[in-house]
Amino acid sequence: MDVQSELGPVCDILLAAKSVCLLTGAGISAESGIPTFRGEEGLWKTYRAEQLATFTAFIQDPKLVWEWYDWRRGIIASKEPNAGHKVLAEWEELFPHFTLITQNIDGLHQRAGSKNVIELHGNIWKNRCIDEDTIFENHDVPLKEIPPHCDKCGALLRPHVVWFGESLDGSILHKSFQLSSGCDVMFSIGTSAVVQPAASLPLSAAEAGAKVIEINPDPTPLTGSVDFSFRAKSGEFLPILDEELRRRTKQKKG
Ligand code: OAD
């Protein structure tokens, strides 16, 4: 899709929208230097998900799993939010009803300034007690103890993230579907759109009549069902879209 010729129609739709909803994935953090999961350089090329991202793997070898998360926490802590994260943080003020849903656990949206982020897959900066489900925020890099234990009861702590074979938090999921199926415009940004149930959010928006806009350098299973698909990096494309939106808003105000 030609970026310049499609920018106008997308801006028109956005300026008329009462509510805007976004789903982001690992691709939005790629330009910050955080590895995605799939693709040539993806984490799942080098590491086996079933050895590191399941509860069974964790119980069998908590030290190994925690070492992997400690390594990932170190990478994330050394990186900064990029221009794409920053635009989305500013959009909280631009649109009256704005919802940012992310599959990412890196916390970069919040570091860019986003205040209301729905985290579908948890957050790598939170640890959870496997006995009592108490959640502790922890920003130590590296972790002081591997594997870490609960300060209150001594049980093992696990990363507060969703692993393969686990269900997403029911209330977070319900809210996400409610918001995506009630919006006028839905974005799908930097996600391969293959992991369920997240991948169904843009489809539920489309079914309810929203315009769906995808931003991704590569096509995905969603591409054929969206209204606009921009083959672009989000850190490059979002600032261009933002500038054009603001220019038109100013023009409108006269
Ligand atoms: P993936 O790694 O599956 O997909 C990342 C997507 O980002 C790909 O489609 C890339 O083409 C795209 N991409 C790469 N660079 C980009 C850029 N600069 N701008 C925009 N897009 C870019 O990541 P997710 O779709 O987020 O789950 O993966 C979904 C879930 O699978 C993750 O949340 C994780 C993983 O297993 C859990 O850990 C539960």
Side-chain angles (χ1 to χ4, degrees):
M1 185 168 279
D2 174 50
V3 170
Q4 281 310 323
S5 67
E6 297 299 333
L7 263 187
V10 165
C11 286
D12 289 342
I13 288 166
L14 280 168
L15 290 173
K18 288 196 186 71
S19 65
V20 175
C21 188
L22 296 97
L23 172 69
T24 64
I28 193 147
S29 295
E31 286 155 272
S32 294
I34 298 175
T36 59
F37 293 94
R38 294 167 188 84
E40 278 315 302
E41 314 262 294
L43 286 174
W44 298 148
K45 273 261 166 190
T46 320
Y47 300 95
R48 296 187 49 182
E50 63 273 24
Q51 282 173 355
L52 295 161
T54 65
F55 189 69
T56 310
F58 175 72
I59 287 302
Q60 272 166 7
D61 196 343
K63 185 166 172 281
L64 175 75
V65 171
W66 266 114
E67 278 167 353
W68 190 62
Y69 276 92
D70 194 41
W71 170 74
R72 288 178 62 195
R73 285 163 61 110
I75 295 178
I76 295 165
S78 70
K79 309 296 183 194
E80 296 298 327
N82 64 55
H85 294 110
K86 287 177 193 158
V87 165
L88 299 190
E90 285 166 10
W91 281 7
E92 264 183 5
E93 305 295 324
L94 192 65
F95 297 104
H97 296 285
F98 181 80
T99 305
L100 176 53
I101 304 169
T102 190
Q103 295 165 87
N104 298 346
I105 60 172
D106 57 27
L108 282 195
H109 282 304
Q110 292 89 333
R111 274 172 60 198
S114 287
K115 291 184 196 77
N116 298 310
V117 184
I118 299 180
E119 293 179 316
L120 285 176
H121 293 165
N123 187 302
I124 201 166
W125 302 108
K126 289 178 183 166
N127 300 339
R128 190 168 86 233
C129 173
I130 64 164
D131 276 358
E132 294 172 345
D133 279 341
T134 321
I135 295 166
F136 301 92
E137 204 156 310
N138 179 308
H139 291 267
D140 294 343
V141 174
L143 282 160
K144 293 196 176 83
E145 182 199 15
I146 292 184
H149 290 84
C150 178
D151 283 344
K152 285 192 180 153
C153 73
L156 266 177
L157 292 176
R158 58 167 285 174
H160 181 52
V161 299
V162 177
W163 281 328
F164 288 96
E166 294 182 328
S167 302
L168 276 63
D169 179 297
S171 63
I172 291 178
L173 194 60
H174 179 72
K175 191 173 164 193
S176 300
F177 272 100
Q178 227 177 14
L179 289 161
S180 59
S181 57
C183 70
D184 303 318
V185 181
M186 174 95 202
F187 281 86
S188 175
I189 305 176
T191 174
S192 56
V194 293
V195 172
Q196 294 295 352
S200 293
L201 290 169
L203 292 172
S204 77
E207 273 164 25
K211 295 286 181 201
V212 181
I213 303 163
E214 180 176 58
I215 304 170
N216 197 314
D218 294 320
T220 74
L222 184 68
T223 305
S225 315
V226 301
D227 297 281
F228 300 91
S229 179
F230 292 99
R231 295 280 161 79
K233 293 182 174 181
S234 45
E236 291 172 3
F237 178 75
L238 284 169
I240 295 172
L241 176 58
D242 180 61
E243 196 183 316
E244 185 59 16
L245 257 182
R246 289 181 193 274
R247 194 182 67 77
R248 285 170 183 244
T249 311
K250 244 189 208 163
Q251 221 173 32
K252 243 183 162 181
K253 282 181 185 159

